[in-house]
Amino acid sequence: MLKFKCKDVGFDCGFVAKGKTEEDILSQCAVHATKDHNMKPEDITDELKGKIKSKIKKSLF
Ligand SMILES: [Zn+2]
């Protein structure tokens, strides 16, 4: 299981994405960012995706 916390990239936010693959986490983050942070799909740049990927942690739970 992989886990990503939104606050790890600097948002004051309690969102945590959980998934089996990085792609799974990234797609959850894209939905979350557009819905809860008023971001546009084009705001989710490769740079931001890279940042997210670097903060994804392996979790046993
Ligand atoms: Zn968030």
Side-chain angles (χ1 to χ4, degrees), residues 1 4-5 9 13 17 36 40 43 45-46 49 53-54:
M1 178 79 91
F4 166 76
K5 291 190 191 118
V9 289
C13 172
D36 295 327
K40 297 186 185 81
D43 291 332
T45 56
D46 286 346
K49 284 182 193 169
K53 276 187 186 176
S54 73

Side-chain angles (χ1 to χ4, degrees), residues 6 11 13 15 32 37:
C6 195
F11 288 107
C13 172
F15 175 76
H32 168 69
H37 294 296

Side-chain angles (χ1 to χ4, degrees), residues 9-21:
V9 289
F11 288 107
D12 183 16
C13 172
F15 175 76
V16 180
K18 291 175 195 164
K20 284 191 184 111
T21 63

